[in-house]
Amino acid sequence: VPASHYAISQFLARLQMSTALSLQEQQAVLSLSWTEVEHQAHSQIAHPGDTVDRASLVAWGMVARFNIMRSGERGIAALYLPGDMADLHSVVVPTISWGLTALRKTTILHIPHRQLQDIASTYPNLALAFWRDTAIDASILARWVVNIGRKDALARVAHLLCELGLRFERAGHGRRCNYAISLTQAQVADATGLTAVHVNRIFKALKDEGLVSLQDKNLAIHDWDKLAHTAEFSRGYLLALGGNDPNS
Amino acid sequence: VPASHYAISQFLARLQMSTALSLQEQQAVLSLSWTEVEHQAHSQIAHPGDTVDRASLVAWGMVARFNIMRSGERGIAALYLPGDMADLHSVVVPTISWGLTALRKTTILHIPHRQLQDIASTYPNLALAFWRDTAIDASILARWVVNIGRKDALARVAHLLCELGLRFERAGHGRRCNYAISLTQAQVADATGLTAVHVNRIFKALKDEGLVSLQDKNLAIHDWDKLAHTAEFSRGYLLALGGNDPNS
DNA sequence: CGCGGCCTTGAGTTCGTTCAACGATAGTGG
DNA sequence: CCACTATCGTTGAACGAACTCAAGGCCGCG
């Protein structure tokens, strides 16, 4: 099953962006076993209160970490792309307090917690790498908090587009200025704390200013610097992109 | 210096809430060395872009993780109470992308990264505990994202009051329904994505409804259940409080 | 006493929401 | 092949929650 193997090696590549791993350590990651699961768009993968014994690696598609409010509104706290572990934290906190949902047709690899714990215990360096991955997750969450709390709608949407550009590029899915954003406007709204209607208007504004264009689901960013400026985007918080690239 | 020793043991107690530690592991934590630093209210502890070689344990006071927007507005992404490591993540991601500030007179213990890495490598169980601590941090951040994105001002403020109640209680500073919230209204505003003026009105509303009262800086929650209900608060995301207490 | 930080309150404004309708596209079954 | 339905995107008009601006009060401190 080459696609699955690819996902594991992509996960390994991601860890190696921020952590130097020995050959043995790399081998330990590649020798993880998994179960492959398909999810349709909008299908829920995990429910608040679930206690899980395996982590979910996104092999293809897109996954969101979300909560439902009493009013029925949904809030998305985090997005996970191919190569991301959507719930690596569950290894150390197995009872989850949020939901996971597939935002589109998605392939997930379930990896037993036990195996991750084992290789983390055997190779302290891998334990650090996993910890680091969770820290990067937290760094993105922290950025979202201030974005949603202190920026206007235009900047929030622009920021999301910039972030996804870099993350898709890192994941090997397109380039930062030209990628397949597989999100509906309602999903963008849930991730930015806006309404679908207003996201639509913001997209219109971004198009009218010539900053981006969108055909089918392919986003083209025509002026990265300008978009990043309106978003007040600085890539520092995405660490592990190989901080060597000094852009912005 | 008993106060400092107390802080370390409080940090240990915090780790032990979610992780069973052997005597040796406990001893390893208690034998960490530190440098004590005092910070005045509003003084900045760390700046975005700093690369640090030690973690900051809050021994007394309160610390915020924040970002400044171009407009000059400040957004607070996280609050750290006594016993919390304000930047445990910096052990694995030493170049930070946010600022840390003392919200009031605060005592910080600097603990060298090197020592934390050493004991994490020696005791895999401690590595898991540190990782878990970062995961809990992320869990709170995720909750803040959806709170700020999808709840109205009343619920956001109420939620913060509930969260701080439980966290202060856990830290041994007061009880959940009666604690010294040492925040100014402007600081609450930065943490909830509101303006100071509006936070003031929300406090007034909470008082008028008899839900809370506030004298000096001592907050009294008169009806926890009702406050938690308006906040849509559920304590699950604060894990490591000893999930055995089934309240809410 | 005067100053600065913080809290409080009122009045007008705005950004984003709500409600509602319509268009486009794709899948489905008769 | 064509209604039929569902999902998603688009647009207008009215509304409202939170913001901005402004003024004044309280209190501790130099």
Side-chain angles (χ1 to χ4, degrees):
Chain A
V1 190
S4 299
H5 261 112
Y6 178 68
I8 294 277
S9 67
Q10 201 172 32
F11 175 60
L12 173 60
R14 183 185 154 141
L15 292 177
Q16 288 185 290
M17 282 180 189
S18 50
T19 309
L21 298 176
S22 72
L23 282 175
Q24 285 180 323
E25 288 157 353
Q26 294 174 40
Q27 200 50 51
V29 172
L30 292 174
S31 65
L32 289 166
S33 63
W34 68 82
T35 310
E36 189 174 328
V37 184
E38 282 281 321
H39 286 277
Q40 293 307 310
H42 307 118
S43 75
Q44 194 158 346
I45 298 171
H47 301 256
D50 284 358
T51 298
V52 297
D53 60 359
R54 86 275 145 147
S56 301
L57 174 59
V58 182
W60 201 85
M62 204 162 183
V63 168
R65 174 174 177 172
F66 74 98
N67 277 115
I68 299 285
M69 308 291 119
R70 192 191 304 138
S71 65
E73 292 172 298
R74 181 174 74 168
I76 290 179
L79 296 174
Y80 297 99
L81 278 46
D84 291 344
M85 280 278 196
D87 56 358
L88 186 55
H89 4 52
S90 71
V91 174
V92 286
V93 184
T95 299
I96 62 181
S97 54
W98 59 89
L100 287 180
T101 183
L103 296 179
R104 58 173 307 186
K105 194 159 173 290
T106 294
T107 305
I108 298 283
L109 307 190
H110 287 312
I111 300 175
H113 283 170
R114 189 56 207 268
Q115 291 191 24
L116 291 164
Q117 287 162 347
D118 283 348
I119 65 175
S121 293
T122 308
Y123 303 102
N125 210 25
L126 281 179
L128 288 180
F130 294 156
W131 177 9
R132 182 169 294 123
D133 205 70
T134 296
I136 292 165
D137 213 43
S139 179
I140 295 175
L141 286 165
R143 177 67 49 153
W144 282 33
V145 169
V146 300
N147 278 348
I148 294 176
R150 283 284 181 252
K151 287 181 189 164
D152 64 18
L154 189 72
R156 279 189 241 173
V157 173
H159 196 279
L160 183 64
L161 298 183
C162 288
E163 179 181 313
L164 288 178
L166 288 179
R167 290 177 62 192
F168 270 120
E169 181 173 287
R170 175 186 68 188
H173 289 244
R175 288 171 300 114
R176 75 182 63 171
C177 288
N178 205 310
Y179 61 91
I181 184 177
S182 61
L183 295 169
T184 66
Q185 293 182 356
Q187 290 166 346
V188 171
D190 288 341
T192 50
L194 300 168
T195 57
V197 171
H198 203 237
V199 166
N200 183 285
R201 292 193 230 272
I202 296 296
F203 273 169
K204 180 162 165 30
L206 288 171
K207 288 175 201 160
D208 288 351
E209 289 190 43
L211 282 173
V212 308
S213 62
L214 194 51
Q215 307 206 354
D216 210 2
K217 288 281 187 183
N218 289 92
L219 181 80
I221 298 175
H222 298 122
D223 189 338
W224 174 273
D225 290 342
K226 199 166 164 195
L227 188 69
H229 184 259
T230 69
E232 282 194 65
F233 182 84
S234 65
R235 51 183 300 181
Y237 75 103
L238 283 175
L239 288 160
L241 278 168
N244 33 28
D245 183 344
N247 294 17
S248 178
Chain B
V1 190
S4 299
H5 261 112
Y6 178 67
I8 294 277
S9 67
Q10 201 172 30
F11 174 60
L12 173 60
R14 183 186 154 141
L15 293 177
Q16 288 184 289
M17 282 179 189
S18 51
T19 309
L21 298 176
S22 73
L23 283 176
Q24 285 179 324
E25 288 158 352
Q26 294 174 42
Q27 200 50 50
V29 172
L30 292 173
S31 65
L32 289 166
S33 63
W34 69 81
T35 311
E36 189 174 327
V37 184
E38 282 281 321
H39 287 276
Q40 292 308 308
H42 306 117
S43 73
Q44 195 159 345
I45 298 171
H47 301 256
D50 283 0
T51 298
V52 298
D53 60 358
R54 84 275 146 148
S56 301
L57 174 60
V58 181
W60 201 85
M62 203 163 186
V63 168
R65 174 174 176 172
F66 73 98
N67 277 116
I68 299 286
M69 308 291 120
R70 193 191 302 138
S71 65
E73 291 174 297
R74 181 175 74 168
I76 289 178
L79 296 173
Y80 297 99
L81 277 46
D84 291 344
M85 280 277 195
D87 56 358
L88 187 54
H89 5 51
S90 71
V91 175
V92 285
V93 184
T95 299
I96 62 181
S97 53
W98 59 88
L100 287 180
T101 183
L103 297 178
R104 59 173 307 187
K105 194 159 172 292
T106 294
T107 305
I108 298 285
L109 308 190
H110 288 312
I111 301 175
H113 283 171
R114 189 54 208 269
Q115 290 191 24
L116 291 164
Q117 287 161 349
D118 284 348
I119 65 175
S121 293
T122 308
Y123 304 102
N125 211 25
L126 281 180
L128 288 179
F130 294 156
W131 177 9
R132 181 169 293 124
D133 205 72
T134 298
I136 292 165
D137 214 44
S139 179
I140 296 175
L141 286 166
R143 177 67 50 152
W144 283 34
V145 169
V146 300
N147 278 349
I148 295 177
R150 282 285 180 251
K151 288 182 190 164
D152 65 17
L154 189 72
R156 279 188 241 173
V157 173
H159 196 280
L160 182 65
L161 298 183
C162 288
E163 178 181 314
L164 288 178
L166 288 180
R167 291 177 62 190
F168 269 120
E169 181 172 286
R170 175 187 69 187
H173 288 244
R175 287 170 300 114
R176 74 182 64 169
C177 288
N178 206 311
Y179 60 93
I181 184 177
S182 62
L183 296 170
T184 67
Q185 293 183 356
Q187 290 166 347
V188 171
D190 288 340
T192 50
L194 300 168
T195 57
V197 170
H198 203 237
V199 166
N200 183 284
R201 292 193 231 270
I202 296 295
F203 273 167
K204 180 162 163 32
L206 287 171
K207 288 175 202 162
D208 289 350
E209 289 190 43
L211 283 174
V212 308
S213 62
L214 193 52
Q215 308 205 355
D216 209 2
K217 287 279 185 184
N218 289 92
L219 180 80
I221 298 174
H222 298 122
D223 189 339
W224 175 271
D225 290 342
K226 199 167 166 194
L227 189 68
H229 184 260
T230 70
E232 281 192 66
F233 183 83
S234 65
R235 52 183 300 181
Y237 75 103
L238 283 174
L239 287 160
L241 276 167
N244 34 29
D245 184 343
N247 293 19
S248 176

